């Protein structure tokens, strides 16, 4: 199931948004460190994460994962 979510996220999100999501949630890197890795400030990463979660939630609401 998790693999399906990551694959769909990679397909739907921009490379930057996917990387932010993967660093923070996939690799459990704090926002502050993810910001340093990506060369952005913390607020920018938080905004990217928020928008990414929203976009994925909207997608999976319409297209639920079938188990």
């Amino acid at each position: 199931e998790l693999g399906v979510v990551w694959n769909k996220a990679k397909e739907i999100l921009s490379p930057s948004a996917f990387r932010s999501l993967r660093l923070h949630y996939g690799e459990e890197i704090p926002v502050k460190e993810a910001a340093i890795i990506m060369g952005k400030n913390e607020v920018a990463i938080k905004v990217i994460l928020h928008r990414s979660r929203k976009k994925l939630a909207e997608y999976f609401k319409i297209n639920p994962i079938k188990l």
Side-chain angles (χ1 to χ4, degrees):
E1 296 172 27
L2 197 52
V4 172
V5 174
W6 283 119
N7 288 338
K8 190 51 69 175
K10 190 171 187 176
E11 186 180 312
I12 293 172
L13 302 174
S14 70
S16 177
F18 177 75
R19 186 170 183 218
S20 298
L21 206 69
R22 189 70 187 193
L23 286 172
H24 185 62
Y25 294 109
E27 298 182 28
E28 299 180 358
I29 292 176
V31 169
K32 186 174 186 173
E33 289 181 41
I36 293 168
I37 291 168
M38 296 192 61
K40 298 182 183 289
N41 64 45
E42 289 181 59
V43 173
I45 296 298
K46 288 179 183 179
V47 168
I48 291 168
L49 290 171
H50 173 77
R51 290 177 180 166
S52 298
R53 288 190 307 266
K54 184 177 177 183
K55 191 170 191 175
L56 288 172
E58 289 171 0
Y59 174 83
F60 286 114
K61 185 175 181 180
I62 296 167
N63 304 290
I65 297 173
K66 295 175 185 169
L67 302 176

